[in-house]
Structures are given as C-alpha cells and as structure tokens.
C-alpha cells in the first residue's frame, strides 16, 4: 500500500480547484455597460437597453406597470375619439389633437420608460468619496440626495416621489420629462375640451 508521504505527493500533483465565482446579486444592482433584455432590477424591469439609459433607447418599467398602461389608455382613447368624431369637422382640430396628444405621449414615455436615476453598485466605489451614504437595504453607496424607494426596492438619485401613474419613481433623470408631461397633458386637455365646445357650438 502507498505510504502517507506518497499519498500527499500525489495530492499535490492534482490541479487546484478554481475558486467559485461570487454569487450573483438577484437584484442586479451591479453596474455594467451591456445591453439587457427582461432584466429585473430591484422590483423594476429593464425590458431592453442599457442601464442608465433613456427612452426610446431604453424601456425601463416599474412595479406599477399596470397603472402605466392605464395612463396610456386614458390619454389615447379620448384623443382618438376626438380625432375621429370632432376632427372630421375641421382640419385644425384634427391636427391640433395629433400634435398635443403626440407631445403628451412622448413626454409621458420619456418619464415612464427611462431610468429615473437608479443607484448601481460600482467597483470603483469605496465610500470615501465625500458626502455619500451606504444603504443597508440595497447594499450600495449612494449620494446624500438619493433615497430608497420601498416600492421599487432600489435607491433613486434625487428621488422626488413614487408615481403610480408612470409605474415607478420620478427621480433626477426623469423629473424634467415628468414636468413636461404635466404641461403637455394640461395643454392637450384644454385643447380637446375647448375644441369640442367650439365644434358643437358652431354646429
């Protein structure tokens, strides 16, 4: 039988077992430059595109995506009805509804389908950059202005509020688009209401 020294020598000749890779973060909060498809980030979904992208190059929806679809419906259905039934009486009503309705949908899509400012974990972060904090829930280093959203389950840079109508948070990267949506929606509603009143009054 082999001696203990021979057994040890044979073991030393065996190739070393490679170390197991670190476990993947199920929330996918590690930043990368790759394009993704149907990637879950916290409680949100990156349908397609890169992290930190903007619509239309990125489709990033939140946990309240059903409410987002309701918002699309509430804008589209009255607009189409106005174009069909009121727009046939005058070209200005038809093209005005297309213009204001299109601007509303573009602004809303930019707010609802873009990254609101999710804080990702980066290899270069050390926590010593200055006015930063560590989030115990996300395990990320975040700026002082960032806040954790319990609905989206991520930290958002300069979080304004969680808006169910857009399906997710409104943060630093989508606040301008959200304000543009509110302005366009107000103008669109005013145009549709006034246009309908004028057309019916003339008839």
């Amino acid at each position: 039988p082999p001696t203990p020294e021979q057994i040890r020598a044979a073991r030393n000749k065996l190739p070393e077992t490679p170390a197991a890779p670190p476990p993947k973060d199920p929330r996918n909060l590690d930043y990368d430059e790759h394009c993704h498809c149907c990637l879950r980030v916290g409680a949100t979904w990156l349908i397609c595109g890169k992290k930190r992208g903007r619509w239309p190059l990125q489709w990033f929806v939140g946990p309240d995506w059903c409410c987002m679809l309701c918002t699309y419906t509430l804008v589209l259905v009255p607009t189409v009805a106005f174009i069909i039934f009121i727009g046939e009486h005058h070209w200005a009503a038809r093209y005005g509804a297309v213009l204001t309705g299109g601007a509303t949908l573009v602004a809303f899509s930019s707010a609802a389908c873009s990254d609101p400012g999710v804080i990702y974990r980066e290899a270069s972060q050390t926590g010593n950059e200055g006015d930063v904090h560590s989030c115990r829930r996300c395990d990320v280093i975040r700026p002082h202005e960032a806040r954790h959203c319990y609905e989206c389950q991520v930290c958002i840079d300069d979080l304004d509020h969680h808006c169910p109508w857009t399906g997710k948070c409104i943060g630093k990267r989508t606040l301008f688009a959200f304000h543009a949506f509110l302005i366009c929606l107000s103008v669109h509603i005013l145009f549709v209401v006034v246009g309908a009143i004028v057309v019916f009054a003339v008839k």
Side-chain angles (χ1 to χ4, degrees):
T3 63
E5 291 76 9
Q6 291 174 329
I7 295 175
R8 283 194 295 269
R11 286 178 178 173
N12 291 335
K13 294 180 180 179
L14 294 175
E16 294 184 0
T17 304
K24 181 176 176 59
D25 182 9
R27 294 167 298 179
N28 295 303
L29 291 177
D30 294 315
Y31 181 71
D32 58 66
E33 294 285 348
H34 305 300
C35 288
H36 297 279
C37 180
C38 298
L39 179 72
R40 189 178 181 91
V41 181
T44 63
W45 284 93
L46 177 56
I47 303 300
C48 63
K50 295 183 178 181
K51 296 178 179 179
R52 293 181 182 160
R54 295 183 186 275
W55 181 87
L57 299 180
Q58 177 200 62
W59 291 79
F60 191 97
V61 299
D64 299 324
W65 58 269
C66 293
C67 293
M68 179 192 71
L69 295 180
C70 288
T71 306
Y72 274 115
T73 304
L74 291 173
V75 174
L76 276 171
V77 171
T79 302
V80 173
F82 181 88
I83 294 172
I84 293 175
F85 299 107
I86 305 299
E88 65 177 358
H89 297 285
H90 201 283
W91 65 268
R94 181 169 58 254
Y95 290 112
V98 171
L99 179 62
T100 57
T104 301
L105 289 174
V106 168
F108 177 74
S109 298
S110 183
C113 300
S114 297
D115 180 358
V118 176
I119 303 299
Y120 293 101
R121 190 183 302 109
E122 300 189 49
S124 60
Q125 289 179 332
T126 62
N128 300 320
E129 288 83 358
D131 193 11
V132 294
H133 300 274
S134 176
C135 179
R136 292 179 294 178
R137 299 176 184 85
C138 295
D139 190 27
V140 297
I141 304 298
R142 69 186 190 193
H144 178 70
E145 298 81 10
R147 294 290 182 271
H148 183 83
C149 175
Y150 293 92
E151 287 82 4
C152 295
Q153 298 179 19
V154 291
C155 287
I156 304 295
D157 192 10
D158 201 7
L159 174 63
D160 189 76
H161 68 286
H162 181 87
C163 177
W165 296 107
T166 61
K168 62 176 185 293
C169 292
I170 301 300
K172 184 176 183 179
R173 295 171 60 85
T174 55
L175 187 59
F176 177 82
F178 181 73
H179 289 161
F181 163 66
L182 295 180
I183 294 172
C184 291
L185 180 64
S186 301
V187 173
H188 181 57
I189 292 175
L190 182 64
F191 180 85
V192 168
V193 171
V194 173
I197 293 174
V198 170
V199 169
F200 282 118
V202 171
K203 288 180 61 179

